[in-house]
Amino acid sequence: MRIDEYVQHDATGLASLVKAGEITPLELTLLAREAHDEVNPRANAVIEFYEDAESVVGANDGIFAGVPFLRKDTGASEAGRLQEKASRLFKGYRPNTESHFFRRAREAGLRTLGRTTMPEFGTSGMSQSILNGVTGNPWDLDRSAGGSSSGSAAAVAAGITPIAHSSDGGGSIRIPASWCGLVGLNPSRGRVSGGPNNQDASSGRSREFVLCRTVRDMAAALDVFSGHYPGDPFIITQPKHSYREELSQPTGVLRVGIARTKWGAVDLEPEVLEVVDSAATLLEEMGHRVTEMEPPYESAEYSRIFLAGSARSAHLLGETAQAMGRTISADTVEPINLKIYEYGRRASPFLTGDVQELMRRMRVRVAEAVEPYDILLTPTMPTVALPHGTIYCTTNPTLSAEEFMEADAALYQYLGVLNVTGHPAVSLPLGQSSNGMPIGLQIVARFGDEATLVRVARDLEEARPWRDRHPRVWAGQQH
């Protein structure tokens, strides 16, 4: 197989070739390394392609047998591998814990070959850090790949691997999916375990999953990573069918709530709204009942939740730094994250209780607002990918902690709210701007109902296929 052939396959397709004996896992690893060596010097998506990648093992008969995979540099961990969280504070850190997530990945046949870039601590939705530099969007290297799963998105979009680990605590899967033209699902709270040591990340707001290019890969990944472990605080109803089986199930007639207005201070770009309207018309043509909905919350509510949680975050960061024998300062932590840490240290410890109450109120308010609908259709982002170096970066020293969080809540206005409520939501690459940048739309389902998301996403992919759209930086291609 040539590299220009490798990049045309999704993960499901590559696994089927492995199981048919048409290619070996080692050959796929070598192709992934070749793709990395070609495009990574431009995109800066992968921090480390493992020196021993060719000896990485996994099941040869799993759902993703032999498929190359990458790990985001935070969250789920591989024991003994570097996990630096894009921070000088964690430089050289190697966790001892092997997460359930990567055990399942190996059992499914995935070969984890390296780790990807991100903004420091995953605080920002942009794609740069002092430690690892700027990750460019493969569609336009002068623009952000989105974050915080920046490198995972850029690597998949550029063809290094067809699928990569990601995580989402406030939009960190869906932002880069929208800006890099990928499929990015944030599952329901409790669908994917954070165990054995991170089951309750950010009070349940943060979840682990993947970024990929096709809906069938998303469905297969749900089959791989879904399931609970002893000690998980959130255990939800399991589906009637495997998610791959849902790909052949009828969708039925759905009540669809359409978000045509902004949910925060940042205005919707006209081209984004055009894609929303076009998708709403398409859903109506499919027989669904479509009505426009009002914003279900105020973005200031979300920023208050984050700031209230800063006391606990500061305490945990301080404890971790002390255990490593390191000091939190301007030499080890980026400007905005240092300000958030200092804000949290000054805050009352009673704010931790406030977080739970603020989240409870938001869950009730949003649940009541969306109850009439089976799914929601919203923009994923109000804009196409922004240039590097904006006020939304944690490297920017000009804002206070409060100002940064207000700006964050305004830009990611359709996203973080769903981390609080626990709803599953997927960003699909359903449009492009006049200058060729991807525009993602978000489909939101009822809590625990990823099955409906799989069926609707399948319908939309079939009606508005994106398979033949490729970025300028695309392995094995001339652009």
Side-chain angles (χ1 to χ4, degrees):
M1 182 183 286
R2 300 188 313 268
I3 190 170
D4 61 323
E5 296 171 319
Y6 164 76
V7 296
Q8 298 297 333
H9 292 282
D10 65 359
T12 301
L14 290 177
S16 67
L17 294 175
V18 170
K19 285 182 272 193
E22 296 181 32
I23 195 166
T24 67
L26 177 58
E27 288 171 319
L28 290 181
T29 296
L30 292 170
L31 284 163
R33 187 182 286 281
E34 182 182 349
H36 164 270
D37 292 348
E38 178 186 330
V39 301
N40 201 60
R42 287 181 283 166
N44 187 36
V46 179
I47 311 161
E48 175 189 14
F49 200 100
Y50 298 150
E51 289 184 5
D52 63 345
E54 285 76 9
S55 64
V56 169
V57 297
N60 290 325
D61 57 354
I63 292 174
F64 289 129
V67 173
F69 195 54
L70 293 166
R71 170 174 56 86
K72 181 180 177 179
D73 202 25
T74 194
S77 58
E78 296 177 276
R81 297 283 195 186
L82 285 169
Q83 187 182 60
E84 296 175 320
K85 307 178 192 294
S87 178
R88 293 163 292 169
L89 182 67
F90 286 88
K91 182 72 174 171
Y93 174 69
R94 295 178 187 270
N96 298 320
T97 303
E98 186 79 6
S99 70
H100 296 325
F101 185 93
F102 280 100
R103 290 179 192 170
R104 283 184 180 254
R106 276 198 310 277
E107 290 166 0
L110 290 165
R111 267 61 171 180
T112 304
L113 307 179
R115 60 192 175 102
T116 60
T117 61
M118 53 176 283
E120 186 180 61
F121 305 150
T123 306
S124 163
M126 302 301 281
S127 61
Q128 59 197 82
S129 70
I130 291 173
L131 182 64
N132 295 317
V134 174
T135 295
N137 188 318
W139 296 83
D140 181 346
L141 293 174
D142 293 329
R143 294 176 183 261
S144 176
S148 63
S149 304
S150 315
S152 292
V156 173
I160 297 174
T161 62
I163 187 170
H165 166 235
S166 54
S167 58
D168 192 317
S172 292
I173 290 174
R174 292 159 290 161
I175 299 162
S178 180
W179 284 358
C180 289
L182 302 175
V183 176
L185 168 69
N186 190 34
S188 299
R189 175 179 298 141
R191 179 64 65 207
V192 177
S193 175
N197 62 343
N198 203 26
Q199 288 97 328
D200 197 15
S202 303
S203 299
R205 297 199 303 274
S206 185
R207 277 95 84 180
E208 311 278 339
F209 199 56
V210 302
L211 281 155
C212 55
R213 295 197 292 259
T214 64
V215 172
R216 70 175 184 173
D217 278 358
M218 178 188 85
L222 277 168
D223 285 336
V224 168
F225 294 108
S226 296
H228 66 271
Y229 286 84
D232 285 358
F234 307 111
I235 299 174
I236 63 177
T237 303
Q238 297 305 304
K240 296 177 182 177
H241 307 278
S242 79
Y243 290 105
R244 284 168 297 161
E245 289 173 333
E246 290 292 352
L247 290 167
S248 61
Q249 299 296 315
T251 305
V253 176
L254 303 176
R255 297 166 297 172
V256 184
I258 307 294
R260 298 190 68 258
T261 55
K262 62 182 183 179
W263 289 7
V266 175
D267 289 335
L268 270 177
E269 289 182 348
E271 287 185 309
V272 174
L273 182 57
E274 287 175 13
V275 176
V276 172
D277 288 340
S278 176
T281 300
L282 177 59
L283 287 169
E284 210 161 27
E285 291 170 351
M286 290 176 174
H288 302 300
R289 297 196 291 271
V290 174
T291 54
E292 191 172 338
M293 66 175 293
E294 295 298 315
Y297 82 113
E298 296 175 10
S299 65
E301 296 176 71
Y302 180 74
S303 57
R304 282 198 295 272
I305 288 171
F306 185 93
L307 288 169
S310 64
R312 176 166 170 74
S313 298
H315 174 72
L316 292 174
L317 187 63
E319 273 193 341
T320 304
Q322 186 176 24
M324 293 190 298
R326 301 180 183 184
T327 303
I328 296 172
S329 70
D331 293 327
T332 57
V333 175
E334 291 177 358
I336 288 296
N337 281 321
L338 187 58
K339 290 177 182 179
I340 293 171
Y341 169 73
E342 291 168 347
Y343 180 97
R345 288 186 67 195
R346 294 192 304 269
S348 164
F350 294 107
L351 279 178
T352 301
D354 290 346
V355 171
Q356 301 303 322
E357 177 58 18
L358 289 168
M359 288 177 61
R360 185 196 66 77
R361 290 179 194 168
M362 180 179 278
R363 282 196 297 266
V364 171
R365 177 175 176 177
V366 174
E368 290 175 345
V370 304
E371 179 61 27
Y373 309 108
D374 298 307
I375 62 169
L376 310 180
L377 173 69
T378 82
T380 304
M381 292 294 292
T383 70
V384 296
L386 296 176
H388 301 295
T390 63
I391 61 169
Y392 305 104
C393 297
T394 47
T395 53
N396 188 315
T398 62
L399 301 185
S400 67
E402 297 94 326
E403 289 168 335
F404 177 81
M405 281 316 304
E406 287 172 9
D408 182 276
L411 183 62
Y412 313 121
Q413 55 192 263
Y414 301 100
L415 305 177
V417 56
L418 301 169
N419 293 80
V420 173
T421 64
H423 288 80
V426 61
S427 180
L428 300 174
L430 291 172
Q432 283 186 299
S433 67
S434 56
N435 62 353
M437 295 303 294
I439 295 174
L441 296 188
Q442 178 176 242
I443 313 295
V444 185
R446 294 180 181 275
F447 181 80
D449 191 15
E450 284 87 345
T452 292
L453 282 187
V454 168
R455 295 192 297 268
V456 173
R458 169 208 62 198
D459 295 344
L460 292 170
E461 183 182 37
E462 289 175 357
R464 297 274 169 86
W466 52 79
R467 184 183 185 91
D468 294 331
R469 294 188 212 142
H470 303 304
R472 295 171 190 170
V473 179
W474 174 240
Q477 312 297 312
Q478 296 298 318
H479 286 276

